[in-house]
Amino acid sequence: MSKKIIIANWKMNPLTFKEAEKLFANVAKEVSEIKKTEIVVCPPFIYLEKLKKLSRKISLGAQDAFWNEVGAFTGEVSALMLENFGVKYVILGHSERRALGETNIDINRKLKSAISAGLLPILCIGENDRDENHEYFNFVKSQLLESISGIPKNLLYKITIAYEPVWAISTTFNRRDATPTDSKEMTIFIRKIISDKLGAGMKMPRIIYGGSVNNRDAGEFLEHGGVEGLLVGKASLDVKKFTDIVKIAENEND
Ligand code: PGA
């Protein structure tokens, strides 16, 4: 397995740059000894520029990027603009964006433009709920295949696939805990879909898990969840919780 990756999705937080700077600087201080774990922070767009100067160890990611490079698209920011600016990763297809109307077709266009701009996409997929007939496997399969449709096989490894069951995300109404077994089952399924598509000998995309990960269960997910990293929302706004998760990943790398 490759080196572990821990990604913070700050979502639309915190409210002021002052708080963002404090959070980022404190995280950077706590992870200064980390050597083997890749750390990514995805703040709101407007904080990217200033945070870029605060740590070399932490890579920056955006939470979305538009598919056209430049032009008349009010309110959008392009993948190429982000890349030119020094951003390395971009979250695409997050369930909160899908809930606002984003489709697999939109996500497919965004993935293609992110890859051609040189960004590394973090593609979020995951079912809204589970059903007794296990239809959710087909749901995730279509999300995945429609999102990556037409992307050359030799570029698929650039994508980090984040399995995020929506029912386990911290802000979901009536949320339930997902277990490392839930994650493991789905990652086996996802790896099979990708390896059927790629055939033997091709470099595989990395798969990570997200959904209410905290410093108490991060180790379990990394050890038994079949994943090479974690996408952390709520707990990434808490310096201790987030940096504990990074340290747990670092120990898993040993
Ligand atoms: P959560 O968010 O850790 O707060 O559940 C994860 C995400 O939505 O990416």
Side-chain angles (χ1 to χ4, degrees), residues 53-70:
K53 303 184 182 104
L54 295 184
S55 169
R56 281 165 187 266
K57 181 155 287 170
I58 303 174
S59 303
L60 286 178
Q63 297 173 17
D64 189 28
F66 195 60
W67 53 74
N68 275 84
E69 288 180 357
V70 67

Side-chain angles (χ1 to χ4, degrees), residues 187-201:
T187 57
I188 291 171
F189 180 69
I190 293 170
R191 279 201 182 88
K192 171 88 173 67
I193 297 168
I194 300 280
S195 62
D196 284 351
K197 196 173 165 86
L198 288 185

Side-chain angles (χ1 to χ4, degrees), residues 9 11 94 96 164 168-171 210-213 231-235:
N9 177 11
K11 308 190 179 182
H94 191 277
E96 286 151 15
E164 295 210 301
I169 290 181
S170 64
T171 46
S212 301
V213 173
L231 179 53
V232 187
K234 195 166 175 208

Side-chain angles (χ1 to χ4, degrees), residues 50-252:
K50 287 188 176 161
L51 294 183
K52 193 169 68 169
K53 303 184 182 104
L54 295 184
S55 169
R56 281 165 187 266
K57 181 155 287 170
I58 303 174
S59 303
L60 286 178
Q63 297 173 17
D64 189 28
F66 195 60
W67 53 74
N68 275 84
E69 288 180 357
V70 67
F73 303 97
T74 302
E76 299 291 352
V77 175
S78 79
L80 193 57
M81 286 173 178
L82 291 162
E83 203 281 333
N84 286 340
F85 194 62
V87 169
K88 188 168 175 191
Y89 286 91
V90 61
I91 298 174
L92 293 175
H94 191 277
S95 57
E96 286 151 15
R97 297 208 54 85
R98 292 177 189 268
L100 292 171
E102 200 162 278
T103 65
N104 291 331
I105 294 170
D106 298 332
I107 294 157
N108 179 249
R109 294 176 83 179
K110 290 183 175 186
L111 265 178
K112 287 174 177 159
S113 85
I115 292 173
S116 76
L119 291 179
L120 298 174
I122 301 152
L123 167 66
C124 299
I125 53 175
E127 73 282 7
N128 295 319
D129 219 332
R130 291 208 162 183
D131 58 295
E132 282 172 13
N133 300 329
H134 301 95
E135 265 307 306
Y136 58 89
F137 280 107
N138 285 332
F139 180 84
V140 171
K141 183 176 182 178
S142 327
Q143 272 188 332
L144 177 61
L145 290 178
E146 286 171 28
S147 302
I148 64 173
S149 162
I151 297 176
K153 288 182 186 177
N154 63 340
L155 296 179
L156 281 183
Y157 77 92
K158 289 182 183 283
I159 303 173
T160 296
I161 299 171
Y163 171 54
E164 295 210 301
V166 180
W167 49 272
I169 290 181
S170 64
T171 46
T172 299
F173 179 68
N174 271 344
R175 66 162 295 285
R176 303 190 315 281
D177 274 335
T179 63
T181 310
D182 296 327
S183 156
K184 175 102 188 190
E185 261 178 18
M186 190 56 88
T187 57
I188 291 171
F189 180 69
I190 293 170
R191 279 201 182 88
K192 171 88 173 67
I193 297 168
I194 300 280
S195 62
D196 284 351
K197 196 173 165 86
L198 288 185
M202 301 282 280
K203 202 167 164 190
M204 291 283 288
R206 175 165 55 187
I207 306 181
I208 65 174
Y209 171 78
S212 301
V213 173
N214 58 53
N215 48 350
R216 293 184 309 280
D217 60 14
E220 289 280 293
F221 276 104
L222 289 172
E223 221 172 304
H224 306 295
V227 292
E228 296 164 86
L230 301 166
L231 179 53
V232 187
K234 195 166 175 208
S236 73
L237 300 171
D238 179 310
V239 177
K240 163 129 178 47
K241 285 184 186 160
F242 184 67
T243 57
D244 276 359
I245 294 170
V246 172
K247 289 171 194 170
I248 290 165
E250 182 80 350
N251 288 335
E252 292 281 328

